[in-house]
Amino acid sequence: MPHTSNVQTPGRARPPAAVRPPATDVRIRAARLFAIAERAGWVSALVLSVSAFTGWYTGHASGGIPPTAVIGWHTGVLGKLVFFAGLVVLALHALRLVGLELPPSVPESLVVVGIGLLATTFVLVRLISIPEPFVDAGRGIGIWISLAAGLALLVAGVLRAGEEL
């Protein structure tokens, strides 16, 4: 009878656990930032379009007359251009969802940056220079919302451009 030793044999070796990149991985953060920038882009474009129909100027109440508000659409061409600037960015986003994209030589992020810059400039012009018929009116909350939406659109485009380039 052969002699066996009382040595414990090792068990099966466990394969190493799947190594996942840490949550702070640069690629994961960049993908999250791109998704946030994309969502911020269309949300700010929607707010920009809707803000053209909010009160940009408010009249003072006197003598029992209720206060009046002038919406951005009625402030001239610039108010209408703010609406259409937001609408163009929404259309670009909708076209991309359908599968149609701009040519590679025209990055969509730079188009969004340009539209955001134009919209912000239009709102700043209306913020500084009140149209002639509304000189006695003060600035309403709508023009500040439009300014914030234009700046948010500009920032979202810059963030997307940083990812694409």
Side-chain angles (χ1 to χ4, degrees), residues 63-125:
I65 300 172
T68 58
V70 179
I71 63 173
W73 185 265
H74 292 144
T75 62
V77 174
L78 291 180
K80 292 169 182 64
L81 286 176
V82 167
F83 168 74
F84 287 117
L87 205 60
V88 167
V89 174
L90 288 174
L92 283 174
H93 183 71
L95 287 175
R96 192 171 17 120
L97 289 178
V98 172
L100 299 172
E101 293 187 14
L102 293 174
S105 61
V106 183
E108 184 180 341
S109 60
L110 295 181
V111 172
V112 171
V113 167
I115 292 172
L117 185 63
L118 278 174
T120 303
T121 304
F122 296 156
V123 173
L124 281 173
V125 167

